Amino acid sequence: MEATDTAPRAARPARLDRARQAAPQVFERLRNAIIALELPPGAPLSRAELAGQFGVSSTPVRDALMRLEEEGLVDVFPQHATVVSRVDVGRAEQAHFLRQALELEIVRMLAEQHDQALVIRLDHAIALQQQFAKAGDFESFIAGDNDFHAQLYAAAGKQDLWTLVRSRSGHIDRLRRLHLPSPGKAQNIVRHHKLITRAIEAGDADAAQQHLRKHLSGTLSELDKIRSHHPEYLTD
């Protein structure tokens, strides 16, 4: 895995599902592209061009850009331009605080429940992540990482909280995407997932919390290094 693999990739297919509302789909496509760094900070987002790309009117594009602005993922300059924002470190730190507070309680709850079926599902998710890491498929690896954590929330009956966490995680997710190509980072994530899973399986709530805390703090602990490598991506 190359530590400099952060260049924008080719745009994803623009075709939308006509059975669904257009605005949420445009939002999801743009948000995913921003988090994957396909649309880096400073990239312009023209309503007219996006409407043509997605084959929709300007209204769904406007609504999607408004949602992205609410999450701080785009900066809107009235009568001038809309561009992808830089990573806001303050927002990233707040998202980390929220997620850690929730997941520490969730893994404790799960360790006390002794749900072997959950352990099997987590092990399967980890095996897939190992395959993606070996292939250097960062986007699938990140999707697998999200699936691992989503299963924790689902097993605890807290799916709505996972939705909340995801809606607040755009900035820290971009930091993680910048950090992921670093040598050994993906392998460390897999290792932490294994440790969390084994602690849950053993019913060791304290160990599960300890491993989770270290796992979630990995990217922010390397913030200075990320900033030095990618100063154009972060706020001052």
Side-chain angles (χ1 to χ4, degrees):
M1 294 185 181
E2 294 296 326
T4 56
D5 184 16
T6 57
R9 303 185 339 177
R12 300 181 182 190
R15 182 176 298 175
L16 302 181
D17 181 353
R18 298 303 175 183
R20 298 174 53 205
Q21 290 187 332
Q25 295 184 73
V26 174
F27 167 76
E28 290 166 7
R29 298 287 182 88
L30 292 177
R31 189 181 191 278
N32 288 340
I34 290 170
I35 290 173
L37 308 180
E38 295 168 13
L39 290 171
L45 298 174
S46 163
R47 287 190 188 182
E49 291 180 7
L50 290 171
Q53 176 184 346
F54 290 111
V56 297
S57 69
S58 62
T59 299
V61 174
R62 180 201 63 199
D63 293 347
L65 292 176
M66 287 175 62
R67 287 186 64 187
L68 290 169
E69 184 183 19
E70 289 173 1
E71 291 194 15
L73 295 177
V74 302
D75 294 321
V76 178
F77 302 97
Q79 310 304 319
H80 179 58
T82 298
V83 300
V84 177
S85 70
R86 288 190 174 198
V87 176
D88 186 321
V89 174
R91 282 184 181 242
E93 290 172 339
Q94 290 188 54
H96 169 264
F97 184 91
L98 172 65
R99 182 169 178 177
Q100 180 171 265
L102 293 172
E103 291 191 28
L104 284 174
E105 294 306 313
I106 284 172
V107 296
R108 172 166 289 277
M109 179 188 306
L110 296 177
E112 294 171 351
Q113 288 179 353
H114 304 286
D115 183 352
Q116 190 59 33
L118 169 64
V119 170
I120 293 171
R121 294 194 300 272
L122 294 178
D123 281 336
H124 178 68
I126 291 169
L128 288 177
Q129 274 198 288
Q130 288 178 307
Q131 294 177 19
F132 298 139
K134 185 175 181 179
D137 185 347
F138 295 126
E139 309 320 322
S140 295
F141 183 89
I142 290 171
D145 183 44
N146 286 332
D147 178 62
F148 177 90
H149 289 273
Q151 290 199 49
L152 298 178
Y153 284 76
K158 309 298 182 186
Q159 294 94 324
D160 288 348
L161 292 180
W162 175 246
T163 301
L164 172 64
V165 165
R166 298 305 306 142
S167 72
R168 299 292 188 272
S169 295
H171 290 275
I172 196 163
D173 283 347
R174 286 195 287 171
L175 280 180
R176 290 188 174 117
R177 181 59 183 84
L178 287 169
H179 191 205
L180 182 58
S182 300
K185 175 60 178 176
Q187 290 75 15
N188 275 338
I189 291 173
V190 171
R191 181 171 61 84
H192 288 155
H193 283 179
K194 288 180 178 178
L195 290 170
I196 293 166
T197 301
R198 298 284 74 79
I200 289 174
E201 183 178 33
D204 190 338
D206 290 340
Q209 289 187 317
Q210 176 186 351
H211 295 312
L212 177 78
R213 184 178 284 106
K214 186 172 183 179
H215 171 55
L216 293 182
S217 300
T219 292
L220 286 179
S221 68
E222 298 289 338
L223 182 59
D224 288 344
K225 184 182 297 185
I226 296 170
R227 188 189 295 279
S228 69
H229 290 163
H230 309 286
E232 72 281 11
Y233 279 79
L234 278 63
T235 54
D236 295 330

